[in-house]
Amino acid sequence: MAEPAPRLRVVAAVVRRDGRLLLTRRPPGGRFGLRWEFPGGKVEPGESPAQALVRELREELGVGAVTGETLAVQRHDYAGGPAVELHFVRCELDSLDFTPSAAVHEVRWVNPAEVDPEEVLEADRGFLASLAR
């Protein structure tokens, strides 16, 4: 029997402003194209989730960040891979003047209860729904 692929560690920023959450949209194309997600990305070897989040927000949105508490850690196995372990971390940004990279198609502030779960990455849906309650 084949060994399961290692679980990919991913970190997601939970940024609030006036009761709204920051979400980013992936560019078109690819398996997860045009899906909304919490900003963030892969935790590289030797990084903590907090370090990865600061790096990812700088790379993807061109802003600095201060990380806070980890709000949840959830696992999700996408059909056909990857298997992820997702760390949702409260975060404050040093600017709301975003300079999105090519990895970010769109940025928006949303009321969690008004987001269509079908438009969001599967791994983010459960946590987003918990914030909408």
Side-chain angles (χ1 to χ4, degrees):
M1 191 160 158
E3 283 288 312
R7 195 166 286 277
L8 190 63
R9 291 179 67 214
V10 180
V11 65
V14 181
V15 182
R16 289 186 176 270
R17 184 186 81 179
D18 302 327
R20 298 172 96 67
L21 284 171
L22 180 67
L23 292 183
T24 56
R25 194 174 202 185
R26 290 180 174 230
R31 184 158 168 224
F32 301 118
L34 295 178
R35 295 277 188 208
W36 289 96
E37 64 184 337
F38 290 88
K42 294 178 190 134
V43 178
E44 300 293 344
E47 280 184 322
S48 69
Q51 290 167 327
L53 192 53
V54 169
R55 177 186 51 75
E56 286 283 351
L57 290 169
R58 174 75 58 206
E59 290 172 4
E60 290 186 358
L61 296 175
V63 295
V66 176
T67 59
E69 67 188 300
T70 297
L71 301 172
V73 177
Q74 296 182 350
R75 290 179 167 207
H76 183 78
D77 297 341
Y78 284 98
V84 297
E85 178 181 273
L86 189 51
H87 297 248
F88 294 94
V89 178
R90 187 182 313 275
C91 199
E92 297 290 329
L93 304 179
D94 68 3
S95 170
L96 299 179
D97 185 18
F98 303 125
T99 308
S101 74
V104 176
H105 183 65
E106 196 177 339
V107 178
R108 75 176 179 184
W109 294 94
V110 300
N111 176 329
E114 295 171 358
V115 177
D116 178 355
E118 292 299 314
E119 295 183 2
V120 177
L121 281 180
E122 286 177 34
D124 289 354
R125 290 177 189 169
F127 182 74
L128 185 63
S130 74
L131 296 177
R133 289 193 209 62

